[in-house]
């Protein structure tokens, strides 16, 4: 059990002068929950603004059975990471992007959200309080999960009377097995992840459980993940279950446009900027599934997966394989992105935020 939550200043001192690393086998770190010491909590009532939050020991939370998040799925989450550089400093990667995306999602879901400044400050406090859980350089990262939920009790369908903002963390390794190991996707042509006019373009909790049936079936057949098509025509690619997708054809990089049914990923945005900086032509547009099957290369992006090559795609029984390896475009983009995140490459983009 964690000790009583320290103040921010005490948390920083404890992290700086206490045990450097938690007792974790960093070489076998996967993408699963490893509870850390502290989490951050902040509450407000509907119609008010969030004010001062607090660090508390990581543990269970108390909710009414009538809480809006339990009954009506009124909740949002974000995902970002903290990295320990070779010089020992800890950095965040573009936290303001996650903060702004949560505000956008909160507006869609009729929720009160923390300000960008409150969001970033809460993330910083939580990471510093759990500093010993940030993996050594090259061994992984500290995954940060901000969660905004309608915690107030309500029986009828309406916005919750109270909101809770939580931030917790977990050290993680690779989302898929093996660093840069190509994954095998299957295209789902019956079930859909999002519909026009819905909430597919925001990171609401309700977007994720609907993919589980297709994902479970795909994994039972030996596939790594599922690629969903648009619900309107069933002809255009949209998203993998928890990440964005890109195709490469004749050195042109294309990704589905975010038109309300696709989440505007922070890693997606960063890879587009890096690709443009490298001189690639990048297109955000509608991509028919036939173009996917004719691509030279395919890769996925996301906070959890980072940049992961796709080795094959199966659609209606037809399997197509793609270029992977050190000469692949995705490898070049991934090397630049992770180099910036971990400090191996100078951050000329201004994306990283040093917090310790």
């Amino acid at each position: 059990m964690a000790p009583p939550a320290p103040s921010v200043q005490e948390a920083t001192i404890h992290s700086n002068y206490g045990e450097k690393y938690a007792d974790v086998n960093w070489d076998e770190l996967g993408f699963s929950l490893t509870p850390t010491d502290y989490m951050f909590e902040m509450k407000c009532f509907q119609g008010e603004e969030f004010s001062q939050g607090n660090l508390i020991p990581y543990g269970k939370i108390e909710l009414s059975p009538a809480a809006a998040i339990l009954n009506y799925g009124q909740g949002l989450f974000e995902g970002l990471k903290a990295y320990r550089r070779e010089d020992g400093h800890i950095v965040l990667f573009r936290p303001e992007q996650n903060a702004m995306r949560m505000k956008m999602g909160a507006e869609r879901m009729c929720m009160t959200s923390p300000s960008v400044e409150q969001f970033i400050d809460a993330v910083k406090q939580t990471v510093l309080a759990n500093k010993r859980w940030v993996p050594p350089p090259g061994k992984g990262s500290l995954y940060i999960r901000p969660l905004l939920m309608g915690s107030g009790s309500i029986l009828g369908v309406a916005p919750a009377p109270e909101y809770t903002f939580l931030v917790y963390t977990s050290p993680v390794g690779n989302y898929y097995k093996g660093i840069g190991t190509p994954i095998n996707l299957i295209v789902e042509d019956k079930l859909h992840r999002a519909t026009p006019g819905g909430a597919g373009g925001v990171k609401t909790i309700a977007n994720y459980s609907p993919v589980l049936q297709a994902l479970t079936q795909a994994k039972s057949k030996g596939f790594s993940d599922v690629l969903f098509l648009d619900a309107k025509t069933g002809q255009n690619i949209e998203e993998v279950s928890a990440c964005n997708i890109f195709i490469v054809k004749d050195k042109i990089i294309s990704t589905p446009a975010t038109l309300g049914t696709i989440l505007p990923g922070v890693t997606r945005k960063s890879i587009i900027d890096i690709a443009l900086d490298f001189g690639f032509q990048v297109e955000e547009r509608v991509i028919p599934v036939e173009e996917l099957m004719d691509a030279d290369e395919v890769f996925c992006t996301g906070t959890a997966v980072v940049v992961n090559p796709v080795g094959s795609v199966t659609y209606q029984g037809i399997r197509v394989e793609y270029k992977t390896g050190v000469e692949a475009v995705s490898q070049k983009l991934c090397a630049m992105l992770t180099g910036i995140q971990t400090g191996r490459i100078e951050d000329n983009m201004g994306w990283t935020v040093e917090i310790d």
Side-chain angles (χ1 to χ4, degrees):
M1 182 176 179
S7 67
V8 178
Q9 183 179 11
E10 289 171 339
T12 304
I13 293 173
H14 172 79
S15 297
N16 286 340
Y17 297 102
E19 180 184 357
K20 185 173 182 181
Y21 291 117
D23 185 15
V24 174
N25 186 340
W26 303 111
D27 292 322
E28 295 184 4
L29 197 59
F31 199 92
S32 59
L33 179 65
T34 300
T36 57
D37 297 326
Y38 300 103
M39 61 185 184
F40 182 92
E41 182 181 57
M42 183 165 58
K43 293 178 179 287
C44 81
F45 291 106
Q46 184 184 19
E48 298 181 356
E49 295 181 352
F50 281 100
S51 55
Q52 183 66 37
N54 297 288
L55 287 166
I56 59 175
Y58 176 87
K60 296 180 180 179
I61 60 174
E62 184 175 301
L63 282 175
S64 164
I69 191 170
L70 299 180
N71 290 264
Y72 303 118
Q74 194 185 25
L76 297 159
F77 73 90
E78 279 296 329
L80 63 159
K81 291 177 177 177
Y83 302 86
R84 190 187 299 271
R85 293 182 161 176
E86 291 290 348
D87 62 7
H89 291 298
I90 295 174
V91 298
L92 303 174
F93 184 73
R94 309 191 76 175
E96 77 289 345
Q97 295 293 319
N98 298 91
M100 290 188 290
R101 189 169 64 179
M102 176 168 276
K103 286 185 66 66
M104 179 181 71
E107 182 177 348
R108 174 66 178 84
M109 303 297 288
C110 296
M111 305 175 73
T112 303
S113 68
S115 68
V116 171
E117 294 74 21
Q118 288 173 323
F119 181 103
I120 295 175
D121 181 63
V123 167
K124 288 180 178 179
Q125 289 189 44
T126 310
V127 172
L128 288 174
N130 294 299
K131 181 181 175 182
R132 71 193 187 101
W133 297 92
V134 182
K139 298 295 185 180
S141 57
L142 187 70
Y143 187 84
I144 307 158
R145 172 58 59 84
L147 175 64
L148 179 65
M149 58 184 174
S151 52
S153 302
I154 192 162
L155 188 60
V157 180
E162 179 191 68
Y163 295 95
T164 299
F165 177 65
L166 291 174
V167 184
Y168 67 92
T169 62
S170 174
V172 297
N174 300 310
Y175 188 80
Y176 297 116
K177 292 182 179 179
I179 299 174
T181 301
I183 61 172
N184 301 305
L185 302 179
I186 184 169
V187 178
E188 174 57 54
D189 58 0
K190 295 181 177 62
L191 302 175
H192 297 287
R193 174 191 168 274
T195 57
V202 297
K203 207 168 177 66
T204 171
I205 61 172
N207 285 344
Y208 291 84
S209 54
V211 310
L212 296 180
Q213 182 180 6
L215 181 60
T216 301
Q217 292 173 352
K219 289 190 173 183
S220 71
K221 297 175 183 177
F223 295 100
S224 311
D225 217 321
V226 178
L227 173 61
F228 291 90
L229 301 177
D230 74 295
K232 186 175 182 179
T233 70
Q235 299 296 317
N236 306 311
I237 65 172
E238 288 208 329
E239 275 193 57
V240 181
S241 63
C243 51
N244 296 116
I245 191 164
F246 288 74
I247 69 171
V248 183
K249 180 68 174 179
D250 299 328
K251 299 298 182 181
I252 299 174
I253 302 174
S254 302
T255 189
T258 54
L259 301 175
T261 55
I262 296 173
L263 188 71
V266 177
T267 308
R268 173 188 181 276
K269 178 182 177 68
S270 303
I271 285 298
I272 290 173
D273 289 342
I274 290 172
L276 290 171
D277 197 51
F278 276 152
F280 285 102
Q281 179 179 336
V282 181
E283 299 177 345
E284 297 180 70
R285 60 181 177 83
V286 172
I287 302 177
V289 68
E290 290 77 16
E291 287 192 37
L292 167 74
M293 304 301 281
D294 189 46
D296 300 325
E297 186 181 336
V298 178
F299 61 92
C300 298
T301 66
T303 297
V305 306
V306 191
V307 180
N308 208 102
V310 174
S312 73
V313 168
T314 299
Y315 174 54
Q316 296 183 344
I318 299 173
R319 175 187 169 102
V320 174
E321 297 186 352
Y322 303 101
K323 177 182 178 180
T324 59
V326 295
E327 298 300 321
V329 171
S330 63
Q331 292 297 96
K332 182 177 182 180
L333 299 173
C334 183
M336 177 59 73
L337 176 68
T338 57
I340 292 172
Q341 291 171 331
T342 58
R344 297 192 307 270
I345 296 174
E346 184 178 357
D347 178 17
N348 294 320
M349 300 288 197
W351 288 342
T352 55
V353 178
E354 187 175 306
I355 62 172
D356 179 70

